Amino acid sequence: MALHQQQIRPLSATARRRSDDISDIPPTPITHLSETEAAMQEAVAKFAGDVILPRVRDMDEAEQMDPALVTQLFEQGLMGIEIPEEYGGAGMNFTAAIVGIEELARVDPSVSVLVDVHNTLVNTAVLKWGSADLKRRFLPRLATNTVGSFCLSEPGSGSDAFALGTRATELPGGGGYRLTGGKMWITNSVEADFFIVFANVDPSRGHRGITAFVVEKGAQGFSIAKKEKKLGIRASSTCVINLDDVEVPRENLLGEVGQGYKYAIGLLNEGRIGIAAQMTGLALGAWENAARYVWNDRRQFGRLVGEFQGMQHQIAQSYTEIAAARALVYNAARRKEAGEDFVRDAAMAKLFASQVAGRVSGLAIEWMGGMGFVREGLAEKFWRDSKIGAIYEGTSNIQLNTIAKSLQKDYTA
């Protein structure tokens, strides 16, 4: 572990971060990485191969994340990528986080989504809207030892976040709020001790009453009711959460009252780039796993299967689609970093990357034949894991709606 830690920690770049003005930077390929980002890619790839890969199958079968691995993710600095060094984080940029998420997904999308949600949703929310007190109390923990979770979805409020029903009632004397309701499909809920919970302080105002609160796992009335058994990303915990008159002190209010919906939408737009990176990493991992097998091991009719033209065309087409998806992902990340409007780009990246992940991981099973279908290797797992890409952080239909509305705005007189 010391070797990996030495590779990751020197990547801290708070003092070297650029401003949003990138007009002085010569044009480069979209997927060009800075020195820091390239070092992140190399170090995470090595860590994933050496440390995560040997655990992947056991964690999937057990449907549980190895607690020791979670500790190692913190030791590597992967849980505080954008948190400034003053709070114990690595102080890197958004694209560095995207690179790390992609590299982790090449080996295990379950680990990748744990890191993704923690960084792009939870840490970002505290950095953007947390008070000085919240940052002081929680950012050092989020960077070094405390997993975070983002609690927005409910049984009747998924794609339609306006329908959120969890209620926040102000306590007598104005010292805080009482949260009542439930959440569903909550990622990281088993591992997390820090939860950002969205609740409505005034349902008569609709989504303008939605407000964000910080809740710690030990709070009275907070409980995990059910852990879902899933098709894919099985090592990633997904649970139902009950909030039974959970009292939250006023200082745990995240941002302003009534601004929670605005915060959630903004965070999900960024988070979609992270999920798109997860899907491109997954697709590349599935492709590499199968391509190596058909070009080195699987033979039929006296030849390696990968030498047949029909197979080569499928392999080439799939890699081209992965490259196109990655270009969309990196373009969205760079636009976000440049301070430009990236909402359409994030939606396109997530939509296309999830489609490519499903197609490529499915074909990879066919290329490998029986060895792709059995649970001895990773091929069938990549395919199972790919299905969630079209569902969480905005379904594919939601992405299409977002893209279409953006285009309509541009092309309507």
Side-chain angles (χ1 to χ4, degrees):
M1 284 309 303
L3 172 62
H4 296 297
Q5 189 163 352
Q6 289 172 4
Q7 290 176 305
I8 293 282
R9 282 302 185 187
L11 301 183
S12 297
T14 300
R16 301 191 300 275
R17 293 180 72 175
R18 294 181 179 275
S19 68
D20 286 339
D21 181 9
I22 59 172
S23 58
D24 61 325
I25 302 177
T28 59
I30 292 173
T31 53
H32 172 80
L33 300 180
S34 69
E35 182 180 349
T36 296
E37 294 158 356
M40 164 69 90
Q41 185 180 60
E42 180 182 356
V44 176
K46 180 171 177 54
F47 174 75
D50 291 352
V51 179
I52 299 175
L53 183 59
R55 294 172 158 104
V56 171
R57 178 51 68 184
D58 288 343
M59 292 194 302
D60 185 70
E61 295 288 347
E63 301 188 27
Q64 181 178 355
M65 192 71 62
D66 184 344
L69 177 57
V70 177
T71 299
Q72 289 171 303
L73 291 170
F74 279 107
E75 292 173 350
Q76 296 303 309
L78 292 173
M79 302 297 274
I81 298 173
E82 291 185 87
I83 293 177
E85 289 178 83
E86 64 184 286
Y87 295 111
M92 300 186 206
N93 61 343
F94 179 72
T95 300
I98 294 304
V99 167
I101 291 162
E102 183 181 62
E103 287 301 318
L104 291 171
R106 286 174 71 178
V107 171
D108 191 353
S110 291
V111 177
S112 177
V113 75
L114 183 149
V115 172
D116 176 27
V117 168
H118 182 89
N119 279 279
T120 66
L121 297 184
V122 177
N123 291 350
T124 299
V126 179
L127 284 166
K128 280 190 171 184
W129 297 294
S131 65
D133 176 65
L134 275 179
K135 291 177 181 178
R136 176 187 59 79
R137 285 192 287 138
F138 291 112
L139 284 180
R141 291 171 54 188
L142 291 169
T144 60
N145 59 30
T146 300
V147 176
S149 183
F150 187 82
C151 307
L152 178 64
S153 296
E154 298 178 2
S157 174
S159 296
D160 180 12
F162 281 10
L164 185 144
T166 299
R167 183 73 187 273
T169 305
E170 192 165 9
L171 294 171
Y177 293 83
R178 180 179 291 112
L179 308 186
T180 304
K183 297 293 179 178
M184 195 171 190
W185 316 121
I186 304 305
T187 301
N188 290 357
S189 40
V190 168
E191 296 79 18
D193 287 303
F194 176 97
F195 297 79
I196 296 176
V197 178
F198 292 83
N200 202 320
V201 301
D202 186 356
S204 68
R205 298 187 62 207
H207 71 278
R208 292 181 177 85
I210 297 174
T211 303
F213 301 89
V214 170
V215 179
E216 295 188 73
K217 181 171 277 187
Q220 186 173 355
F222 179 97
S223 63
I224 296 175
K226 176 188 176 185
K227 181 182 177 183
E228 304 290 354
K229 297 181 73 65
K230 308 188 299 290
L231 170 70
I233 58 166
R234 299 197 303 192
S236 167
S237 61
T238 305
C239 301
V240 173
I241 290 176
N242 284 341
L243 300 156
D244 185 12
D245 292 336
V246 177
E247 294 191 3
V248 179
R250 180 169 290 276
E251 55 266 29
N252 279 22
L253 179 71
L254 180 64
E256 299 179 15
V257 173
Q259 294 296 304
Y261 184 75
K262 176 182 175 182
Y263 299 160
I265 293 302
L267 289 165
L268 289 174
N269 284 330
E270 294 186 28
R272 285 164 183 167
I273 305 175
I275 297 301
Q278 180 203 24
M279 290 295 111
T280 57
L282 184 159
L284 188 56
W287 184 93
E288 290 173 327
N289 182 57
R292 290 192 181 102
Y293 182 62
V294 299
W295 274 332
N296 293 281
D297 299 303
R298 189 182 179 202
R299 293 179 177 273
Q300 294 293 313
F301 305 102
R303 298 171 61 186
L304 287 167
V305 169
E307 293 178 353
F308 289 98
Q309 186 182 67
M311 182 66 75
Q312 289 185 333
H313 286 182
Q314 292 181 51
I315 291 171
Q317 177 68 38
S318 295
Y319 192 85
T320 300
E321 292 180 8
I322 294 169
R326 293 183 84 210
L328 284 171
V329 172
Y330 280 78
N331 183 60
R334 295 303 189 196
R335 286 180 65 90
K336 186 264 179 190
E337 286 188 337
E340 300 177 3
D341 183 357
F342 64 90
V343 174
R344 183 198 303 171
D345 301 273
M348 292 191 298
K350 181 183 182 295
L351 172 71
F352 188 64
S354 63
Q355 292 171 340
V356 169
R359 281 198 297 269
V360 173
S361 60
L363 283 171
I365 292 173
E366 297 177 26
W367 300 344
M368 295 180 70
M371 289 305 298
F373 196 72
V374 298
R375 295 214 303 254
E376 292 181 20
L378 297 179
E380 59 85 31
K381 179 183 180 299
F382 278 127
W383 178 77
R384 286 189 288 105
D385 289 351
S386 75
K387 303 307 291 184
I388 192 60
I391 300 173
Y392 61 10
E393 294 199 29
T395 66
S396 290
N397 283 337
I398 290 295
Q399 306 314 314
L400 289 167
N401 284 347
T402 299
I403 297 163
K405 287 178 182 178
S406 174
L407 292 169
Q408 184 177 11
K409 182 180 178 180
D410 287 351
Y411 286 89
T412 299

